[in-house]
Structures are given as structure tokens and as C-alpha cells.
Amino acid sequence: MLWRYMAGAAGARTGDDMSGPALLVLGLAVSGSPAVAGWLLAGLTVSASVGGPLLGVLLDRSRRPGRLLAWCLVGYAGGLLLILGLLGRAPDALVIALAVLAGLLGPALSGGWTAQIPLAVPAGLLPRATALDSISYNVAALLGPALAGLVATLGGGSWPVIVAAALIVASLPIALTLPARHGDGTTGAGGRSIAAELVAGMRAITGSVPLRRATATSMVSMAGIAMLVVCTPLLGERLAGGAGYGALLLAVTAATALAANAVLARLAPAVRTTGGWWPDGALVWATAVLGAGIALTALADGVALAVVGAAIAGVGEGPQLTALFAVRHRDAPARLRSQIFTTGASLKITSFAAGSAVAGPLAGHSVPLALLAGAGLQAVAVLVYWGLSPRRSRTPEISAPRAGGTAR
């Protein structure tokens, strides 16, 4: 079941990561307007902050969350195909509105899948499954944009959207085979309204020190990662004479993140017994390593040093995501798990959008300055982690895991 789940999650997330660049390419090809292309991408991402918490509540209340997840996949892929069919034939505002509606379902392709891991694997395999799940994000981040560029080069501006939708739909049969929830689904809502469940989910995040600390740390860090993503094309142009080299730097970051998580997956049983270092301490140390890598790219005066910096950033980014998921699996109440994962995904997407908005003008003034700001946000994320920690545990060595594991 684990490998079937992994295949479905990786396919859906690759299609998701492909869909943004695909819409950019489509918007430019059909309208010729960078503004329309940018608004399509913005519409697809901005609504995630609204859709994530609501999707999480519905998944938590569903006896068969896999079926609801499947409907989300159909809706997201269908939205992409509607945009493809209507762009250039309908008013731009209508097409952008469709992108916003499709974006509401976006968190289902990330946190919605991750929240189902405890249903798909035995408790003893959860650490390994969490590391492998993080790898699927790295694979998607590596393959999605690359596939969009390759398909656009070979087939034109429409085909990346078609391939992205096909990858998402291909995960549909696997979503439908996810196990049913027993004992904590619809009955767990206790007859409460959706609004009450949304409040309960936010209280679960803000009321738990580990969840609150991990969520805030990852949000600040994600804004800094956005600055790296925005700056890499400009950095490639400055150091190597072509913006495409910047995409290769992101590929290096994704590849080393993938490698780091592969090592974590192999060492999962040993990592689980390391006491307080995992996952809380790993989260803060990985954030610090990520910041060091971004800082090195800011100081790079040649391609070689920029590649080293991008590689170091990936070594931090991969384990950071795995540690974040491990905290959520450990501390999220079972009946609210989907909501906490999808809400966390929404908050990170929103942080990425905010970081991107700041990075653009800053990079236009100075690329190294924008990258240093991204590295500085990683330092701020570390300070946020320590600031939200109880005084007795303001070091990365957090107290040993409590009994009960992922059942809480």
C-alpha cells in the first residue's frame, strides 16, 4: 500500500508543480501578455489559503477521504482544462476566476495526500513513510517545471497544461483505493458545524507548542525560499549569461533535497530513536543549513560557488520538510489531521506568495541583496522557533517523544 500511495502522491504533486509553469507558458502563448500569464498563476495560488482549511475539515469528516480526494483531483484537472479551452475565447477575467476556483483545491494535492499516510501504512512504518512522502515533494519540484519546459519546447504552449492534467488524473485510481477511516471520521466531528471544526483546527495548531512553533517557523522560512526561487533566473543571467542556468540551480537544490530525504528514509528507524533531536531539533537545524546555503548563493561571484550554495540549501530544505511532517503526524489530533496538514500547506503557499511579491522589486534593485534577505528570513525563522519554545527547551534538543505516538 505504501508504494501505491507514493506513486499516487508523486504523480499528483508533479502535475501540480507543472501546472503553474504550464499556465504561465499558456498565458504568454495565447494572449501574448505577461500580465495575463502572471494573473493566471496568481489566481491558481492565492486561493489556496481559503481552500486548505475547508478541504481539511471535509477530509477529516469523510468516512472515505480517498473518494473526496479523488473528486478534488478531478476538479483541479478539470479547471486546468477549462482554462485551456476558454483562454483567448472568453474574457480574461472569467478565465482568471476559473484559475482561482481551481486553486481552492490545490492543497488537496499536497497536504491532503500527506494527511492520509496514517490510514495507508502501519504505525511502525510512519517515520519511513513520512520521509518518502517528503521525497515525493522533492521529485515533483524537480520534474514539474522541467517537464513543463520540455513539453512546451516540443509541443507548444497548450501541451504542458494537458500533460499536467493527465498526471493528476492518473493518480485518481490510487486515491480511490485509500482505506476508509474507522472511528474518527464523521463521528469524530461530534455533530459540530464546519465552522466549529475550522475553529477547532486553528485552536489545535495555536494551542500546541510543537505545532504552533513548527507552523510559524516553516511559514517564515517559506517566504525566504520564495526569494531564492525568484532570484535564481536573474542570478543565472548575471553569473552565466542566461536565465535558464538559474533553473538549473533550482534543480540542484531539489536534487540535494531529494538525496538528503532518501538518506533520512533509509535511516528512519534509527532517527526515530534519537530522542529529542528528531523531529523538533532537526527542523531548526535544517532551517539554519538552508539559510547558510542561500547566503552562499548571495555571495557567489561565479557559477561554481552558486552551485555549492544551491546544493547546501537543498540539504537543509529536504530534511526541514520531513521534520515538519513528522511534527504534524505526532502532534495533530487524529480527527483534525487532514485539516492541520491542508491548513499548513495553505499558510506556506500564502507565505511563498508574500515572499515572491517582496523579492521581485528587491531583486530588481540588487539580486545579492534579495538573496541575503532570503537568508535573513531563515535566521528569523530560527529565532521564531526559539521564541515560541518554552524556556526550559529553547535549544534544539527538545524533550523525548511522548507515549502515544501518532495516535494523538
Side-chain angles (χ1 to χ4, degrees), residues 132-150:
L132 290 172
D133 189 56
S134 298
I135 287 175
S136 77
Y137 284 88
N138 302 139
V139 170
L142 188 61
L143 290 182
L147 274 176
L150 179 63

PDB file of all heavy atoms in Angstrom, residues 132-150:
ATOM      1  N   LEU A 132       9.652   9.273   2.872  1.00  0.00           N
ATOM      2  CA  LEU A 132       9.375   9.004   1.459  1.00  0.00           C
ATOM      3  C   LEU A 132       8.360   9.996   0.898  1.00  0.00           C
ATOM      4  O   LEU A 132       8.458  10.408  -0.268  1.00  0.00           O
ATOM      5  CB  LEU A 132       8.858   7.574   1.297  1.00  0.00           C
ATOM      6  CG  LEU A 132       9.878   6.461   1.529  1.00  0.00           C
ATOM      7  CD1 LEU A 132       9.189   5.102   1.521  1.00  0.00           C
ATOM      8  CD2 LEU A 132      10.979   6.501   0.477  1.00  0.00           C
ATOM      9  N   ASP A 133       7.385  10.386   1.707  1.00  0.00           N
ATOM     10  CA  ASP A 133       6.403  11.368   1.263  1.00  0.00           C
ATOM     11  C   ASP A 133       7.079  12.702   0.957  1.00  0.00           C
ATOM     12  O   ASP A 133       6.755  13.363  -0.026  1.00  0.00           O
ATOM     13  CB  ASP A 133       5.333  11.541   2.342  1.00  0.00           C
ATOM     14  CG  ASP A 133       4.159  12.372   1.871  1.00  0.00           C
ATOM     15  OD1 ASP A 133       3.544  12.019   0.846  1.00  0.00           O
ATOM     16  OD2 ASP A 133       3.853  13.388   2.518  1.00  0.00           O
ATOM     17  N   SER A 134       8.027  13.088   1.813  1.00  0.00           N
ATOM     18  CA  SER A 134       8.770  14.322   1.558  1.00  0.00           C
ATOM     19  C   SER A 134       9.560  14.224   0.255  1.00  0.00           C
ATOM     20  O   SER A 134       9.679  15.200  -0.490  1.00  0.00           O
ATOM     21  CB  SER A 134       9.725  14.611   2.714  1.00  0.00           C
ATOM     22  OG  SER A 134       9.015  14.796   3.919  1.00  0.00           O
ATOM     23  N   ILE A 135      10.080  13.017  -0.026  1.00  0.00           N
ATOM     24  CA  ILE A 135      10.808  12.816  -1.275  1.00  0.00           C
ATOM     25  C   ILE A 135       9.902  13.089  -2.473  1.00  0.00           C
ATOM     26  O   ILE A 135      10.332  13.653  -3.480  1.00  0.00           O
ATOM     27  CB  ILE A 135      11.383  11.384  -1.333  1.00  0.00           C
ATOM     28  CG1 ILE A 135      12.561  11.258  -0.367  1.00  0.00           C
ATOM     29  CG2 ILE A 135      11.818  11.016  -2.748  1.00  0.00           C
ATOM     30  CD1 ILE A 135      13.115   9.860  -0.262  1.00  0.00           C
ATOM     31  N   SER A 136       8.618  12.717  -2.360  1.00  0.00           N
ATOM     32  CA  SER A 136       7.709  12.939  -3.487  1.00  0.00           C
ATOM     33  C   SER A 136       7.557  14.429  -3.784  1.00  0.00           C
ATOM     34  O   SER A 136       7.399  14.820  -4.944  1.00  0.00           O
ATOM     35  CB  SER A 136       6.348  12.300  -3.215  1.00  0.00           C
ATOM     36  OG  SER A 136       5.565  13.063  -2.314  1.00  0.00           O
ATOM     37  N   TYR A 137       7.614  15.265  -2.742  1.00  0.00           N
ATOM     38  CA  TYR A 137       7.594  16.717  -2.966  1.00  0.00           C
ATOM     39  C   TYR A 137       8.845  17.151  -3.724  1.00  0.00           C
ATOM     40  O   TYR A 137       8.785  17.990  -4.632  1.00  0.00           O
ATOM     41  CB  TYR A 137       7.523  17.459  -1.637  1.00  0.00           C
ATOM     42  CG  TYR A 137       6.176  17.472  -0.966  1.00  0.00           C
ATOM     43  CD1 TYR A 137       5.791  16.457  -0.109  1.00  0.00           C
ATOM     44  CD2 TYR A 137       5.276  18.520  -1.175  1.00  0.00           C
ATOM     45  CE1 TYR A 137       4.560  16.469   0.528  1.00  0.00           C
ATOM     46  CE2 TYR A 137       4.045  18.547  -0.547  1.00  0.00           C
ATOM     47  CZ  TYR A 137       3.688  17.518   0.303  1.00  0.00           C
ATOM     48  OH  TYR A 137       2.469  17.532   0.920  1.00  0.00           O
ATOM     49  N   ASN A 138      10.006  16.602  -3.317  1.00  0.00           N
ATOM     50  CA  ASN A 138      11.260  16.968  -3.985  1.00  0.00           C
ATOM     51  C   ASN A 138      11.262  16.515  -5.440  1.00  0.00           C
ATOM     52  O   ASN A 138      11.708  17.244  -6.330  1.00  0.00           O
ATOM     53  CB  ASN A 138      12.445  16.331  -3.253  1.00  0.00           C
ATOM     54  CG  ASN A 138      12.522  16.725  -1.792  1.00  0.00           C
ATOM     55  OD1 ASN A 138      12.809  15.889  -0.935  1.00  0.00           O
ATOM     56  ND2 ASN A 138      12.252  17.984  -1.475  1.00  0.00           N
ATOM     57  N   VAL A 139      10.759  15.291  -5.682  1.00  0.00           N
ATOM     58  CA  VAL A 139      10.676  14.790  -7.053  1.00  0.00           C
ATOM     59  C   VAL A 139       9.772  15.694  -7.889  1.00  0.00           C
ATOM     60  O   VAL A 139      10.098  16.063  -9.026  1.00  0.00           O
ATOM     61  CB  VAL A 139      10.152  13.344  -7.071  1.00  0.00           C
ATOM     62  CG1 VAL A 139       9.823  12.892  -8.490  1.00  0.00           C
ATOM     63  CG2 VAL A 139      11.185  12.405  -6.453  1.00  0.00           C
ATOM     64  N   ALA A 140       8.629  16.070  -7.322  1.00  0.00           N
ATOM     65  CA  ALA A 140       7.698  16.933  -8.050  1.00  0.00           C
ATOM     66  C   ALA A 140       8.312  18.295  -8.342  1.00  0.00           C
ATOM     67  O   ALA A 140       8.152  18.832  -9.444  1.00  0.00           O
ATOM     68  CB  ALA A 140       6.409  17.096  -7.244  1.00  0.00           C
ATOM     69  N   ALA A 141       9.017  18.854  -7.351  1.00  0.00           N
ATOM     70  CA  ALA A 141       9.650  20.161  -7.552  1.00  0.00           C
ATOM     71  C   ALA A 141      10.733  20.100  -8.622  1.00  0.00           C
ATOM     72  O   ALA A 141      10.990  21.086  -9.328  1.00  0.00           O
ATOM     73  CB  ALA A 141      10.245  20.655  -6.232  1.00  0.00           C
ATOM     74  N   LEU A 142      11.361  18.936  -8.743  1.00  0.00           N
ATOM     75  CA  LEU A 142      12.417  18.759  -9.737  1.00  0.00           C
ATOM     76  C   LEU A 142      11.841  18.519 -11.130  1.00  0.00           C
ATOM     77  O   LEU A 142      12.279  19.116 -12.119  1.00  0.00           O
ATOM     78  CB  LEU A 142      13.300  17.579  -9.320  1.00  0.00           C
ATOM     79  CG  LEU A 142      14.585  17.313 -10.093  1.00  0.00           C
ATOM     80  CD1 LEU A 142      15.534  18.491  -9.994  1.00  0.00           C
ATOM     81  CD2 LEU A 142      15.266  16.053  -9.584  1.00  0.00           C
ATOM     82  N   LEU A 143      10.819  17.650 -11.208  1.00  0.00           N
ATOM     83  CA  LEU A 143      10.305  17.236 -12.504  1.00  0.00           C
ATOM     84  C   LEU A 143       9.254  18.172 -13.083  1.00  0.00           C
ATOM     85  O   LEU A 143       9.197  18.358 -14.300  1.00  0.00           O
ATOM     86  CB  LEU A 143       9.696  15.831 -12.389  1.00  0.00           C
ATOM     87  CG  LEU A 143      10.659  14.671 -12.161  1.00  0.00           C
ATOM     88  CD1 LEU A 143       9.890  13.351 -12.122  1.00  0.00           C
ATOM     89  CD2 LEU A 143      11.717  14.622 -13.249  1.00  0.00           C
ATOM     90  N   GLY A 144       8.401  18.757 -12.204  1.00  0.00           N
ATOM     91  CA  GLY A 144       7.279  19.543 -12.703  1.00  0.00           C
ATOM     92  C   GLY A 144       7.681  20.671 -13.637  1.00  0.00           C
ATOM     93  O   GLY A 144       7.283  20.688 -14.816  1.00  0.00           O
ATOM     94  N   PRO A 145       8.479  21.641 -13.168  1.00  0.00           N
ATOM     95  CA  PRO A 145       8.885  22.742 -14.052  1.00  0.00           C
ATOM     96  C   PRO A 145       9.692  22.267 -15.256  1.00  0.00           C
ATOM     97  O   PRO A 145       9.550  22.796 -16.360  1.00  0.00           O
ATOM     98  CB  PRO A 145       9.729  23.634 -13.124  1.00  0.00           C
ATOM     99  CG  PRO A 145       9.253  23.312 -11.751  1.00  0.00           C
ATOM    100  CD  PRO A 145       8.920  21.849 -11.775  1.00  0.00           C
ATOM    101  N   ALA A 146      10.570  21.241 -15.040  1.00  0.00           N
ATOM    102  CA  ALA A 146      11.374  20.741 -16.158  1.00  0.00           C
ATOM    103  C   ALA A 146      10.485  20.133 -17.242  1.00  0.00           C
ATOM    104  O   ALA A 146      10.701  20.354 -18.445  1.00  0.00           O
ATOM    105  CB  ALA A 146      12.375  19.706 -15.652  1.00  0.00           C
ATOM    106  N   LEU A 147       9.472  19.355 -16.819  1.00  0.00           N
ATOM    107  CA  LEU A 147       8.543  18.770 -17.790  1.00  0.00           C
ATOM    108  C   LEU A 147       7.763  19.843 -18.541  1.00  0.00           C
ATOM    109  O   LEU A 147       7.549  19.740 -19.747  1.00  0.00           O
ATOM    110  CB  LEU A 147       7.568  17.837 -17.077  1.00  0.00           C
ATOM    111  CG  LEU A 147       8.002  16.387 -16.862  1.00  0.00           C
ATOM    112  CD1 LEU A 147       6.954  15.637 -16.057  1.00  0.00           C
ATOM    113  CD2 LEU A 147       8.240  15.696 -18.200  1.00  0.00           C
ATOM    114  N   ALA A 148       7.348  20.884 -17.797  1.00  0.00           N
ATOM    115  CA  ALA A 148       6.599  21.966 -18.452  1.00  0.00           C
ATOM    116  C   ALA A 148       7.440  22.613 -19.551  1.00  0.00           C
ATOM    117  O   ALA A 148       6.952  22.856 -20.668  1.00  0.00           O
ATOM    118  CB  ALA A 148       6.182  23.009 -17.417  1.00  0.00           C
ATOM    119  N   GLY A 149       8.701  22.883 -19.247  1.00  0.00           N
ATOM    120  CA  GLY A 149       9.581  23.490 -20.244  1.00  0.00           C
ATOM    121  C   GLY A 149       9.835  22.568 -21.429  1.00  0.00           C
ATOM    122  O   GLY A 149       9.807  23.000 -22.593  1.00  0.00           O
ATOM    123  N   LEU A 150      10.089  21.282 -21.147  1.00  0.00           N
ATOM    124  CA  LEU A 150      10.382  20.327 -22.215  1.00  0.00           C
ATOM    125  C   LEU A 150       9.172  20.128 -23.127  1.00  0.00           C
ATOM    126  O   LEU A 150       9.290  20.159 -24.361  1.00  0.00           O
ATOM    127  CB  LEU A 150      10.803  18.992 -21.596  1.00  0.00           C
ATOM    128  CG  LEU A 150      11.115  17.857 -22.580  1.00  0.00           C
ATOM    129  CD1 LEU A 150      12.304  18.228 -23.456  1.00  0.00           C
ATOM    130  CD2 LEU A 150      11.387  16.559 -21.827  1.00  0.00           C
TER     131      LEU A 150
END
